[in-house]
Amino acid sequence: MAQYWLAKTEPDTYSWTQMTHEKTAIWDGVRNYAARNNLRSMKTGDLVLIYHSNKGKNVVGIAKVTKEYFQDPTDPSGIWSAVELRPLIELPTPVTMETIKQDPNLSDIVLVKNTRLSVQPVRDFEFFRIIELGGLTDPPDKLGLL
DNA sequence: GCCAACGTTGGC
DNA sequence: GCCAACGTTGGC
């Protein structure tokens, strides 16, 4: 059973568009223990919402975990981890922070509760609700995401 | 640009 | 081990 996650990136540094051009993304550079532990909990096939922080402030697409955690190549100290993600589908309508905050179904989402956590778990119903708000009406299996 | 929330560092 | 000082994230 796939789990669901959300990962933040600043689009000025590394954007969804860039990810899709590169086909795969090494999700490195995470320097927070809680976020790292979430990276380490990701399993191949898990689905990850990609969120643009600062600019956009919206969920823009869905990626899949293609490699479970390994040594972060940008970290000489050896304590940080990275995963490999593959972008799968762009949301027809990006879902903004504002929309998420206004949705009663999403009132407890980590994105709102803990604004600074860059890699975070997302509950099943939150994931489905967000992609629904994003214009995807079919569940992930129908969309061929699993 | 401001600042709240959170994490980390380092003196004691 | 506590906590003040500092640094960073990221929404507004």
Side-chain angles (χ1 to χ4, degrees):
Chain A
M1 183 60 185
Q3 301 211 93
Y4 302 99
W5 308 92
L6 180 146
K8 296 183 192 176
T9 183
E10 292 189 38
D12 285 350
T13 306
Y14 189 70
S15 68
W16 170 260
T17 304
Q18 199 173 339
M19 273 180 88
T20 56
H21 287 149
E22 293 173 0
K23 310 292 186 202
T24 64
I26 303 299
W27 214 261
D28 57 20
V30 171
R31 295 293 182 271
N32 169 285
Y33 287 104
R36 182 198 69 177
N37 293 342
N38 288 330
L39 280 180
R40 291 184 176 183
S41 298
M42 289 181 178
K43 300 294 177 197
T44 301
D46 283 359
L47 297 180
V48 185
L49 297 171
I50 303 299
Y51 176 82
H52 279 172
S53 59
N54 280 306
K55 297 271 180 67
K57 296 174 200 104
N58 50 18
V59 178
V60 289
I62 305 171
K64 181 197 272 200
V65 177
T66 46
K67 280 205 183 90
E68 291 176 18
Y69 82 90
F70 48 89
Q71 171 62 44
D72 183 335
T74 69
D75 168 35
S77 76
I79 61 174
W80 302 109
S81 301
V83 296
E84 184 189 85
L85 303 179
R86 182 185 308 275
L88 292 181
I89 188 169
E90 185 169 320
L91 295 183
T93 311
V95 182
T96 64
M97 170 67 77
E98 187 185 9
T99 300
I100 289 168
K101 281 189 165 175
Q102 285 171 355
D103 192 309
N105 301 298
L106 300 173
S107 56
D108 286 330
I109 196 168
V110 178
L111 187 67
V112 174
K113 290 276 171 153
N114 184 354
T115 54
R116 294 186 44 190
L117 186 60
S118 61
V119 181
Q120 52 185 261
V122 175
R123 281 164 285 193
D124 296 21
F125 73 88
E126 293 168 336
F127 181 89
F128 297 132
R129 180 58 179 153
I130 286 173
I131 70 171
E132 183 184 18
L133 290 168
L136 301 178
T137 49
D138 290 333
D141 56 333
K142 288 272 177 53
L143 291 163
L145 300 182
L146 296 179

